[in-house]
Amino acid sequence: MDWLPALLIAFALAPAALMALAIALPRWRAFGVLSTLALLAALATLVAAWAGPPAGAELPLPGLATSTPGAWMAVLVQLLGTVIGVFSARYLQGEPNQPRYLAAFAAVLAAVQVLVLADHWFVLIAAWAAVGTALQRLLCIYPERAFALLAAHKKRLADRAADVLLLAAAGFAWAEVGSGSLSELWRHAAQGEATLLLDASAVCLVLAVILRTALLPVHGWLIQVMEAPTPVSALLHAGVVNLGGFLLIRFAPLLETAPAARWLLIVFGLATALLAGLVMLTRVTIKVRLAWSTVAQMGFMVLECGLGLYTLAALHLIGHSLYKAHAFLSASSVVQQARLQAMRGSASPSAASLAAAPLLSVAIVAPVQAMAGTAAWPWWWSGVLALAWAPLFWMPARREGEASTTMTRGLAGVAMVAALTAAMQLGHALPLGVADTPLAAAGVVALLGMAAMYLCLVAMQLRPAQLAAWRRWSYAGFYVDEFYTRLALRLWPARWAPAARDRTHGATAATPVAASR
C-alpha cells in the first residue's frame, strides 16, 4: 500500500511539528491536545519500528531518520512532557509568566523530538543546543532567584564547551567517513577498523556527553536548579539530562572502535556514581537529595555504556526517567512520609546482616538468572547488582519478641531481589534495538568500585562517630562544585548575586546573566 510509508513518515515527524505549533499557541488547553496527539504519533512510530518499517519509509527531510532507540526515547519524553504539562498547569496557576513558561516548555520537547530523529552531525548539534537554550529560559523563569541564575550560567558554560567538542567530533568523523551522515559513520565503524580519527571523534563525543550529563566535576548546576519550579526539575531530571545516555547508546558502533573513549566513560561514570551516591546519603532536603540521586544515576548509566551493557543502559534510562518524574511531582508527599518515618524511628543494622547481605543477594540473583536459561549479562555484573541490592537484607539487631518481624523483612528482601532480577531478565527481551558488547576487564574494575562503595556504607553504619569529619566533607559534596564555580566565573564572569545586581543596576534591574537568556 503506497499510503503506508507516507503515513509512517507523518507519524515520525508529527511530535516535533506539534510541539513547534505549541510554541506559537502558549495556552494550556491547546498544549494538552497537541501533546496528546504527539504522544499517540510517537507510539505509532514505536509500533512501526517493532514491526520493521517497509522500504521507502525513510524520512524525506535531510539529516533525519527513524530508529528503534529513537522511537522509545520519543515516546518516553512525550509521555513525561504530557504528564508534567498537566502538573504545571495546576502548579503555576495564577503566575503571570505562564505563556513564557509554556512556550519554553514546548520548545524543549520539540528540540528533543528533533534530536531523537537526528541522522546528521549538524542536526544533532543544533537540536541539542536548542534543548539547552530552551531549558535556560525555564531555569530562569524566576529571575530574582540568584542561585537559579548561577545554575543557568554554569550550565551555559558547560553547554558551549560541549558544543565545541561535538563540532570537533563531527570534524574528525567527517574527515574519516567523508560524510556527516551518522548512518554512514556507524556503517563505517561497524567494519571494526580503528583509526586515529575515529578515536579522536569518540573521545570528543564522550567529553561532550560528560559535560551535558552533569557528571563530576561539572555537576553543580544540576543541584542548584532546585531554585526552578518543581515541574522544571521533573522535566530536567527525568528527561533532558538522560539525553547523554541515549546518544551513547546510539553511538555504540563508534565507541566499540575507541577503547580510550570507553575507559573515559568508565572512570568518570564510576567516580560520579560512587561520590554522588555517598553525598546523597548525607542530605536531608528532599529535592536536593533527589538531585544528587540523579547525578549518581547518570554516572551509573554512563558506566553501563562504557562497559558495553547498552541494553541495561536503555532499561536504566527508561526506569530512571519514570521514577524520577514521579519522585519530583510527588515531592510534597515525601515530606509527610519522612516525618512519619522519623516519628517511628529506625534502628541501625546489625554487623551480621551487613556482612551477610551481599552473599544473600548473590544467592538470589544467580539462581533467578540461571532459571532464564541464557545469561542476559556477564557474571561480574551480577556481582554489581548483588552489592547494589544488598541493603534490602540489612536487619536491625534482633530483640526479644521480634523474630517474626525479622523473618518478614528477610522474606520481603528475597522477594524484592528476585523480582528485580526477573524484571531485568524480561527487560532484555524487549525490542530496544541495541546489542551488548561487554568489556570484561572494565567489568572487574566496576565490581571492585561497587565493593568499595559497599564497604563505605558499612563503615558509616558501624562507626558513625569516627566518620563525623568525613561526613562533613561528604555533605559538602567534597567541595568539587566550589572549584568548578570559581573556574566558571573566572572564565565567563557574570553578576548573579543580589548584592552585585543592586549595586550595579538597582534592586529591580535585570542581571547580565538573565539578559543573556
Side-chain angles (χ1 to χ4, degrees), residues 369-370 372-379 382 425 428 436:
Q369 187 179 16
T374 57
W377 53 81
W379 66 267
S382 294
Q425 287 279 358
H428 276 72
D436 295 340

Side-chain angles (χ1 to χ4, degrees), residues 144 146 149 494-509 511:
E144 70 276 6
L149 299 180
R495 298 184 182 93
W496 60 275
R501 296 205 309 271
D502 294 346
R503 287 195 303 268
T504 307
H505 300 291
T508 60
T511 68

Side-chain angles (χ1 to χ4, degrees), residues 12-25:
L13 296 176
L18 290 170
M19 288 299 94
L21 180 60
I23 300 173
L25 299 172

Side-chain angles (χ1 to χ4, degrees), residues 205-206 209 244-252 255 265 302 305 310:
L205 172 70
V206 163
V209 168
F246 165 74
L247 287 181
L248 291 176
I249 294 170
R250 290 292 310 278
F251 277 86
L255 295 177
L265 290 173
V302 164
C305 292
Y310 299 108

